[in-house]
Every structure is written in structure tokens, then in C-alpha cells.
Amino acid sequence: MTPRRRFLLAGFALSPLAAAALSACARPESWPEGMRPIKWDRDPCAQCGMVISDRRFAAELCGSANNAVFKFDDIGCAVFWLRDKAGDYPWSADPATRLWVADMASQDGGVIWLDARAARYAPGKTSPMGYNFGASAEAQAGAVDFQTMRQHVLAGEK
């Protein structure tokens, strides 16, 4: 290899543009528009305060005029937060408020995000806070819709 070629390769490898391009390719997760990325193992759940670690059960709520964001480690925490904070955050009941939930089939390589109100919830999963519902885009045996899952969680069923 000629010295000029080595210089060009070294310059490309060290350039900030090259680093940005490569890091963009390596980014495993894609976040829906309006969603703020969850910093795994660092961001706390808005309801219980537990650090959000399990990518299969996380959820996020985004709404209001200033796009307030609340992150959760379990869809059950989001359900209780929505009930308990309705008076403080009236925008949370607005149909324009976005609520996402991770597909329970998500792996460490990346999360598939679903509209939580359109997802189907399979009971009997082991979730971080023990509400034990896992979200899926597809109906599975025994899966229920968002409102039914919500009723079970609020009734204390696990």
C-alpha cells in the first residue's frame, strides 16, 4: 500500500464524519417519531422509580403542548400512572397523547415499539413489576386488548 493510500485511510478512519456514519449504522434501535430514547439501565420508571432495564416490557408516554415524556419499566406502571396522575396531567387522556410499549419479542439487539392502545397483551409473562402482561402486535392465545389488560392490572390481577 502506498503512503498516500495509508494516509487517506487513516484520515477517513479518524474523521468525525466517518465516526458519525459508522455509529449511525451500529445503532440497533429505532425510536418512533416523538419518542425519546430510553437510556437502558439508567432511566427510572416514572411510577415506581425502578431503573428501566428489561427491553421486553418498557413503555413511554408523550403528550401535552410541550411534549412531556414519562418512561416506565412495565406497562402496569404506565396504567397506574395514568390513573393516579390524571388530575395533574389532564392531557394524558387526550387521544393525541402517544403511549408506546415494547413488543415482548424484543431482544437486546433492539426494541420493536408498538402503539400501546392497539397492542395485544398476553398474560402470564414475568414482567419487571409483576403485572405480568407482555405486549405483541399480533393476537396470541389468551391475549387481551389494552382496556381489558388495564382492568386486570387495576383490579390487582397478575
Side-chain angles (χ1 to χ4, degrees), residues 105-136:
S106 298
Q107 299 297 318
D108 288 340
V111 176
I112 300 165
W113 293 103
L114 307 172
D115 175 338
R117 292 178 186 97
R120 304 293 296 174
Y121 294 88
K125 305 302 175 189
T126 303
S127 67
M129 292 307 295
Y131 297 110
N132 299 337
F133 281 96
S136 178

Side-chain angles (χ1 to χ4, degrees), residues 25-130:
C25 293
R27 187 174 182 186
E29 297 180 285
S30 99
W31 302 90
E33 185 176 334
M35 188 175 188
R36 294 211 192 114
I38 293 173
K39 294 178 185 107
W40 304 110
D41 302 315
R42 288 186 290 176
D43 281 346
C45 174
Q47 176 68 14
C48 70
M50 189 169 111
V51 173
I52 305 170
S53 296
D54 195 332
R55 289 164 167 77
R56 299 170 300 155
F57 298 98
E60 185 173 305
L61 179 75
C62 180
S64 81
N66 64 351
N67 289 318
V69 171
F70 296 92
K71 301 172 186 182
F72 306 94
D73 65 336
D74 191 310
I75 190 64
C77 283
V79 166
F80 276 105
W81 188 96
L82 285 165
R83 184 199 67 187
D84 297 344
K85 303 292 184 175
D88 297 332
Y89 302 97
W91 54 263
S92 65
D94 187 323
T97 297
R98 301 290 312 265
L99 178 59
W100 296 278
V101 65
D103 188 313
M104 68 181 164
S106 298
Q107 299 297 318
D108 288 340
V111 176
I112 300 165
W113 293 103
L114 307 172
D115 175 338
R117 292 178 186 97
R120 304 293 296 174
Y121 294 88
K125 305 302 175 189
T126 303
S127 67
M129 292 307 295

Side-chain angles (χ1 to χ4, degrees), residues 17 32 102 116:
L17 182 58

